[in-house]
Amino acid sequence: MSDLAVLVAVVLAIYIFQCIIWAPARANVFRASFLRGAKRLEHPKPQAVAAKAKDKPGARSAAKASTKAPGVVANKAAKKKPAIPVPAAVPDFPRDGRRASRGFMWNALSISGFWANPLPVDALMVANWPAACLDPAGLVIEGEPAPIPWEQLKLIRAGHKLKSGNFVVLSGPEKQLRDFEKLASELGKVQPNARAAIIEKWLRAAFDVAAAEERYAAFRSPARSLTILACMQFAVLFWIVPWIFYRIGTRAIWNCLALVLCVSLFTAFEFWQAHKHFYPEAGDARWTQSLTIVLSPLSAIRAMDTLARDLLAGFHPVTAAAVVCSKDEFAALAGEQLRELSFATISSATHSAWWNESLTRALQSVVTKRGLSAENLLAAPSRQQGCDVYCPRCLAQYLATREACTDCGYEGLVRFGAK
């Protein structure tokens, strides 16, 4: 084997290792592509809008505003252009993403590995959710006999984890952990009768599909440019450079390095602009990641994974699925979440009924917005041949009546045909 082949094999092995995305064991990871185009929604013409609003208060001002060119800022004082321009007409992007399959789990660190596409044509997004229940009485942790009062709750941040004692309450990016700490601190300062409203407000924000769609739509334009640059770097590093070395030899090493560095610089610039717009508070991480992209062409190829990973952080996984995934993928995840709440088996379910009911209502609202029915998602599965009972929580089916489900431990198995 030639020296060139050995070098290419080593670089390829390192790159394959970089294609593994690590995420908390409880996290949901979604795979989405940003290269496909978008359909623009049909908007009425400005003249038609003005005619329909003729008899309404403020119609004249609305008609004048409708004749402005797209992208004109109403506030004349705002002279600076946004880093990422947002189109005047919101595009309707196809929801063709899917839930990424879990590759393997590292039990020692409670993290899972997800295989990203070796070709940088899509990216993985991670949606984290607290492992505890939020109740007006306190934080409900699984296995604890009683909730931890908000006044006595002490959260400790360790890296990307937020802990209460030895229990990991939440794993995620720094901003999500900081927002949760702020919520817990606020709940500890207010009166007990005001806590339910604060938690419900936080839940509404986590299930705000419109806000998630707006963020996702604004992300697609810079993501497409960055994906194209990542594909260019992939072609340069694994196809063009080896071909030049094969044809010319080591005499072209400086030309190859210049070509790789040029693409990396453009990628780092696009990454910097998008990262600054979507993660304005993460200045230190932006510097580190941009410098890594310049110095490492392999990191430049995986730049989209770094940028898209925490795009929908703070939203519930079902909200992320409603924005990213196809209807079938969304129905599968939403049904799974609803069944876990409706047929809970954890010990905390007995003293966190308020949280289960509030979370169920929020889930049902998202399901309704996607045109589905919660009753259909909770319906019995298609009966397999010879099976008599099924588990309403995980949908496992059994040939004979038994006390509990062997998959999830639920003790309320249902016979087919029973109401």
Side-chain angles (χ1 to χ4, degrees), residues 327 330-332 334-335 338-339 363-379:
K327 196 169 185 177
F330 167 78
L338 284 172
R339 288 192 300 272
L363 283 170
Q364 290 175 346
S365 67
V366 177
V367 169
T368 303
K369 290 177 182 177
R370 284 301 307 269
L372 299 176
S373 171
E375 289 76 10
N376 292 337
L377 296 180
L378 294 174

Side-chain angles (χ1 to χ4, degrees), residues 204-219:
R204 286 194 297 270
F207 284 90
D208 191 347
V209 178
E213 284 180 338
E214 183 179 355
R215 184 172 177 83
Y216 185 70
F219 181 78

Side-chain angles (χ1 to χ4, degrees), residues 378-395:
L378 294 174
S382 300
R383 186 175 183 177
Q384 298 178 2
Q385 185 176 4
C387 293
D388 294 329
V389 295
Y390 70 94
C391 174
R393 188 170 189 264
C394 67
L395 302 184

Side-chain angles (χ1 to χ4, degrees), residues 25-60:
R26 292 178 54 89
N28 286 271
V29 181
F30 303 96
R31 188 187 304 275
S33 176
F34 301 97
L35 290 178
R36 298 183 63 177
K39 300 178 181 179
R40 293 200 175 274
L41 298 175
E42 293 292 335
H43 295 284
K45 295 182 179 180
Q47 294 82 358
V49 173
K52 290 181 179 179
K54 188 174 182 181
D55 298 330
K56 296 182 180 180
R60 184 170 300 178

